[in-house]
Amino acid sequence: MPLHRRLFTESSPSRDYTDLRTSPSTSPTRMMSSSLTTYGSPTHQSWDSALNDILSVLRIQYRNDDDVMLFLTDPDKLKQLQYSTAAKMEWNRRVIKEEMDSGIHSPPRSRRIAKEVAIDYIRRYLDGEEERVDMLRKIHILEHDRDDALASLVELEKDLKRSKDDNLRSKVDNTNLKDEVEKLRGDNELLRSDNKELHAESDRTREENENVRSENSALREENRKLRSENEELRAENGTMRTENQKVRSDNVDLREEAGTVRSENLELRRENQSLREENQEVRSENLKVRGNNNALRGENDRFRTNNESLFGENRKMVRENLEFRSREDEMRMLVNVQQDVLGGKSTTHVEVCKEEPAEGSGEEEDEV
């Protein structure tokens, strides 16, 4: 188990914490990441409210424990408990698990879980476990920095070795050139009296040597420029490493956001199931309306066009209910309007039948 997951494992072995204790001085980015993992909605209880509800109960229950009472009466320590990401995430995890198992939200259960998490946090704080975990985390960071420094030293040694090899090659080339110049000088001294043209050739060779030396100096300057550029590239690599660390922290935040999105997807699935049940009720009501329409066939002949348009609107509403959650209220309103229209038509038809029973019976016999 990693060092940052050892928190609160003695009292609850099945718990997993993915972050260390935080305080009001925590950086804004970490507070933002912890707020993303907070479970709750306008109808659910938050960690702060649950903690405030159980503080008085803890003071009464542990009034004989001096260490626990000192923690509960210290406002700074209570703020540390309130802003602790580890405690908040453990409370969220257990509340979500309980609600997934039972299928309902229970504020007393969330307060009970908050009480257990708070007393576990206090026990661990009193035992000094968090300070040890923080020290181990710092040691791990120092080891990582040491490894990076060793890697950079190895790279520097490789660069020095390459530069030494280049210097040795240039020295060998210079010695070869010096040997050739000495040979030319000896030949020139032996043939100076016989051939004046060799003097001119020797002068040319000297000029070429001077050109070669100037080229060597230019190459040395280029090597110096390349070394300076290498140092700039190393500095840029350092900045890139810091940017990679930032990207990794952003990836952690994105994983936490993915967890919240999964929980929202579960809620949307439950809402879709309820919408399907409501659609089944709407369909059963439509079947009843169709039975009434069969009984009132004469009246439906006059209003068949209106009924077909209403059936088309019902089908559209059913599809929109499956796709869009926000159209639920509109569909209910349209179904209620349809029921009101059909109910009004049925009452008007009964009144017409009472006034003209003979005509209505004749029409029904014709339709049969």
Side-chain angles (χ1 to χ4, degrees):
M1 182 185 291
L3 294 174
H4 64 276
R5 290 180 179 268
R6 293 183 181 174
L7 210 58
F8 298 96
T9 54
E10 230 175 281
S11 59
S12 58
S14 63
R15 301 173 189 171
D16 283 336
Y17 283 82
T18 58
D19 201 354
L20 296 172
R21 174 174 58 87
T22 59
S23 65
S25 63
T26 309
S27 62
T29 56
R30 295 187 64 189
M31 290 298 293
M32 183 173 65
S33 63
S34 65
S35 64
L36 289 173
T37 57
T38 304
Y39 174 76
S41 66
T43 59
H44 289 77
Q45 193 173 18
S46 64
W47 160 251
D48 296 335
S49 61
L51 182 64
N52 291 326
D53 292 339
I54 57 96
L55 281 177
S56 60
V57 177
L58 288 175
R59 290 191 185 98
I60 295 170
Q61 185 175 357
Y62 293 95
R63 60 183 179 273
N64 295 325
D65 195 339
D66 296 334
D67 294 334
V68 176
M69 285 300 295
L70 286 174
F71 187 94
L72 293 173
T73 54
D74 191 351
D76 294 333
K77 293 180 180 178
L78 290 177
K79 285 183 180 179
Q80 290 180 3
L81 175 59
Q82 183 180 0
Y83 293 102
S84 175
T85 305
K88 189 181 295 183
M89 291 177 68
E90 175 64 12
W91 180 78
N92 288 331
R93 186 187 67 80
R94 293 186 63 186
V95 168
I96 292 170
K97 185 177 182 297
E98 292 289 337
E99 291 186 4
M100 291 294 291
D101 294 338
S102 62
I104 58 173
H105 172 69
S106 176
R109 187 191 295 121
S110 64
R111 287 192 291 270
R112 176 180 58 80
I113 294 170
K115 180 182 175 183
E116 294 175 358
V117 171
I119 195 65
D120 289 340
Y121 181 91
I122 293 168
R123 295 295 185 192
R124 285 295 174 188
Y125 184 86
L126 294 174
D127 293 337
E129 185 68 17
E130 291 190 359
E131 285 76 7
R132 188 174 67 84
V133 171
D134 192 15
M135 182 182 68
L136 292 174
R137 181 178 63 81
K138 291 179 180 178
I139 292 170
H140 180 70
I141 292 169
L142 291 174
E143 289 177 354
H144 188 269
D145 294 335
R146 184 194 64 187
D147 294 334
D148 291 337
L150 289 173
S152 63
L153 287 173
V154 169
E155 291 178 358
L156 289 173
E157 288 177 357
K158 289 180 180 178
D159 293 333
L160 288 172
K161 187 176 180 181
R162 289 171 187 168
S163 63
K164 286 179 181 178
D165 293 335
D166 294 333
N167 290 326
L168 288 173
R169 290 191 189 113
S170 63
K171 286 179 182 179
V172 170
D173 294 332
N174 290 325
T175 54
N176 292 327
L177 290 171
K178 288 178 181 178
D179 293 334
E180 290 176 358
V181 169
E182 292 295 331
K183 288 179 182 179
L184 290 171
R185 285 178 181 175
D187 293 333
N188 288 326
E189 287 176 356
L190 292 173
L191 299 173
R192 186 178 295 172
S193 60
D194 298 330
N195 196 356
K196 292 180 180 181
E197 293 178 357
L198 292 175
H199 288 286
E201 289 179 358
S202 65
D203 293 330
R204 291 173 186 173
T205 54
R206 286 174 184 173
E207 289 176 358
E208 288 177 357
N209 288 327
E210 292 296 329
N211 292 328
V212 169
R213 288 173 184 173
S214 63
E215 288 178 357
N216 287 329
S217 63
L219 289 172
R220 288 191 186 96
E221 290 178 356
E222 288 180 357
N223 287 328
R224 290 173 184 172
K225 290 179 181 179
L226 290 172
R227 286 171 186 170
S228 63
E229 289 178 356
N230 288 329
E231 290 177 356
E232 291 176 358
L233 289 172
R234 289 191 188 99
E236 289 179 356
N237 288 329
T239 56
M240 291 296 291
R241 288 192 185 97
T242 57
E243 289 178 358
N244 287 329
Q245 291 294 328
K246 291 180 182 178
V247 170
R248 287 172 185 170
S249 63
D250 293 334
N251 288 331
V252 171
D253 296 336
L254 290 173
R255 289 191 186 98
E256 292 175 353
E257 289 179 359
T260 57
V261 169
R262 290 191 187 97
S263 62
E264 290 176 358
N265 286 331
L266 291 173
E267 292 178 358
L268 289 174
R269 287 177 183 173
R270 296 193 196 97
E271 291 176 357
N272 287 330
Q273 186 63 34
S274 64
L275 289 174
R276 288 191 185 97
E277 292 175 357
E278 289 178 0
N279 287 328
Q280 290 294 330
E281 293 176 0
V282 170
R283 287 177 182 174
S284 63
E285 290 175 358
N286 285 330
L287 290 174
K288 291 179 182 179
V289 171
R290 286 178 184 175
N292 293 326
N293 287 331
N294 289 325
L296 301 172
R297 188 173 294 171
E299 190 72 16
N300 284 331
D301 289 334
R302 279 179 275 172
F303 299 99
R304 184 172 295 169
T305 57
N306 292 327
N307 285 329
E308 288 176 355
S309 64
L310 290 173
F311 284 135
E313 290 177 355
N314 282 329
R315 293 189 187 95
K316 290 179 182 178
M317 284 189 289
V318 169
R319 288 193 297 268
E320 290 174 353
N321 274 327
L322 294 174
E323 295 176 355
F324 302 101
R325 174 180 168 190
S326 63
R327 297 286 300 275
E328 180 182 359
D329 294 334
E330 184 179 356
M331 186 191 72
R332 288 179 180 173
M333 184 177 69
L334 290 173
V335 171
N336 291 326
V337 170
Q338 180 187 4
Q339 290 179 355
D340 294 336
V341 171
L342 293 175
K345 290 177 183 178
S346 62
T347 54
T348 55
H349 180 67
V350 170
E351 289 175 0
V352 170
C353 289
K354 287 181 180 180
E355 290 176 359
E356 297 177 357
E359 292 179 358
S361 61
E363 290 177 358
E364 290 178 355
E365 288 177 358
D366 293 334
E367 287 176 356
V368 173

